[in-house]
Amino acid sequence: MKIAVLDMNNNHPNEGMRCILHAIRTVQGNDHTELAFDIFNVRGNNEIPGLDYDLYISSGGPGSPLPSEEAWEQPYFQLIDQLFAWNRQNERKKHVFLICHSFQLVTRHLNLGELSRRKSTSFGIFPIHKTDEGTSDPVFAGLPEPFYAVDSRDYQVLKPDLERIEDMGASILCLEKIRPHVKLPRALMGIRFSPEIVGTQFHPEADDEGMLRYFLSDEKRKQIVANFGQAKYDEMMTYLQDPNKIALTESVILPGFIRQAVRSQAATQELVIN
């Protein structure tokens, strides 16, 4: 299986790409599956893969997901449209996973909801609540209700266009934490855009070990405490050491999606052979 990893970080240092590659290597090692991957620096170098891959993982990234005149944006959306079209027309499907910034971009591109800037940055490890569709979705089947995930964003998708979502056969899989004292709508945190294409607003790739090491650095600790307070930092440290929170989410969602893509490819090959 050939995997295209779309780096949306615009040349900014990040932990997300390391975690995505770790998920690929974990499935490869544990399942003895041959997985080859190439990395495309989409926003930094305007690198866009072609249609000769089986699985596409599009990362999170900093900056605004609102419309821009940057050179990469239209080719990126053209690729997304081509992947949807391919899956409508071909037996052998192409699978796509969209993370955070990529989720925002594609949701905007498909006009599935209202993309806007948040009043304040959402940063930390928060409970994510599954919808009825999310509870039965294979990507989330191994997670409790609620499950916990890393959330780091300045933007949000609100006011879903339910009629359009239903027309295209998509479904909302999860919503942000319940805030009983805040009279604001809850943001969309996960969508199955099609049987082969899933996106999350949160970071399912984040791993506890790497993030714990990252946040224990003096520079990062001081930055978090200065911006969000000591209590937020202490909470994150506690959650990162709980095997039922980030470690569980990281082990279930992205590796599970990769395995589903592998099984789908194998089933298609078997049909062709028979």
Side-chain angles (χ1 to χ4, degrees):
M1 170 174 277
K2 292 176 61 181
I3 302 173
V5 181
L6 281 65
D7 181 352
M8 304 295 286
N9 289 282
N10 203 19
N11 294 327
H12 288 264
N14 69 94
E15 286 287 295
M17 285 296 294
R18 176 190 62 78
C19 294
I20 290 170
L21 301 184
H22 176 70
I24 294 171
R25 293 179 178 123
T26 295
V27 173
Q28 186 171 30
N30 291 348
D31 297 22
H32 306 291
T33 302
E34 287 194 31
L35 302 175
F37 65 85
D38 294 313
I39 299 172
F40 296 85
N41 187 348
V42 176
R43 296 171 68 195
N45 293 342
N46 195 23
E47 297 172 357
I48 303 289
L51 293 176
D52 50 337
Y53 290 87
D54 306 294
L55 170 62
Y56 297 74
I57 302 174
S58 191
S59 81
S64 170
L66 298 175
S68 76
E69 298 298 323
E70 295 181 26
W72 61 270
E73 188 165 308
Q74 287 310 310
Y76 177 79
F77 289 138
Q78 184 178 16
L79 171 65
I80 296 298
D81 290 340
Q82 288 172 338
L83 291 169
F84 274 100
W86 174 281
N87 286 341
R88 287 193 295 268
Q89 299 164 7
N90 294 275
E91 268 313 306
R92 188 187 178 98
K93 307 300 183 183
K94 296 186 181 294
H95 296 256
V96 184
F97 200 98
L98 306 159
I99 298 171
C100 196
H101 192 86
S102 299
F103 170 84
Q104 295 167 346
L105 288 168
V106 172
T107 304
R108 167 171 69 82
H109 178 62
L110 297 174
N111 297 311
L112 298 185
E114 180 184 282
L115 177 63
S116 60
R117 191 176 183 92
R118 289 175 53 88
K119 291 181 183 295
S120 61
T121 299
S122 177
F123 179 79
I125 298 168
F126 297 111
I128 309 291
H129 294 268
K130 293 185 279 187
T131 62
D132 290 343
E133 290 84 356
T135 299
S136 59
D137 192 274
V139 168
F140 295 93
L143 294 173
E145 169 55 35
F147 63 95
Y148 284 76
V150 171
D151 189 19
S152 176
R153 60 193 165 93
D154 290 313
Y155 293 82
Q156 60 189 353
V157 180
L158 302 173
K159 300 178 182 177
D161 186 333
L162 299 178
E163 185 176 344
R164 178 158 173 74
I165 288 172
E166 184 178 356
D167 286 347
M168 67 178 289
S171 57
I172 299 169
L173 301 179
C174 48
L175 300 169
E176 70 177 333
K177 65 179 181 178
I178 298 171
R179 300 171 295 175
H181 305 300
V182 180
K183 293 184 178 180
L184 291 172
R186 293 160 66 199
L188 307 187
M189 298 300 285
I191 294 176
R192 181 170 286 281
F193 298 93
S194 76
E196 302 82 22
I197 301 176
V198 173
T200 62
Q201 173 65 91
F202 58 89
H203 287 269
E205 80 280 17
D207 67 337
D208 56 344
E209 183 182 342
M211 289 199 66
L212 187 61
R213 185 172 60 249
Y214 180 62
F215 288 129
L216 281 172
S217 71
D218 220 28
E219 179 186 356
K220 199 64 186 174
R221 179 184 61 79
K222 289 177 181 176
Q223 182 185 346
I224 294 171
V225 171
N227 291 331
F228 302 100
Q230 185 67 46
K232 171 66 71 176
Y233 181 81
D234 292 342
E235 178 188 72
M236 288 181 64
M237 292 301 102
T238 301
Y239 284 175
L240 284 171
Q241 297 173 74
D242 184 339
N244 293 314
K245 289 190 167 59
I246 297 308
L248 180 60
T249 300
E250 181 250 344
S251 70
V252 168
I253 293 182
L254 192 54
F257 187 84
I258 295 170
R259 290 186 176 104
Q260 289 166 25
V262 170
R263 287 195 294 269
S264 173
Q265 184 190 56
T268 304
Q269 286 178 333
E270 189 174 334
L271 282 173
V272 171
I273 292 170
N274 293 335

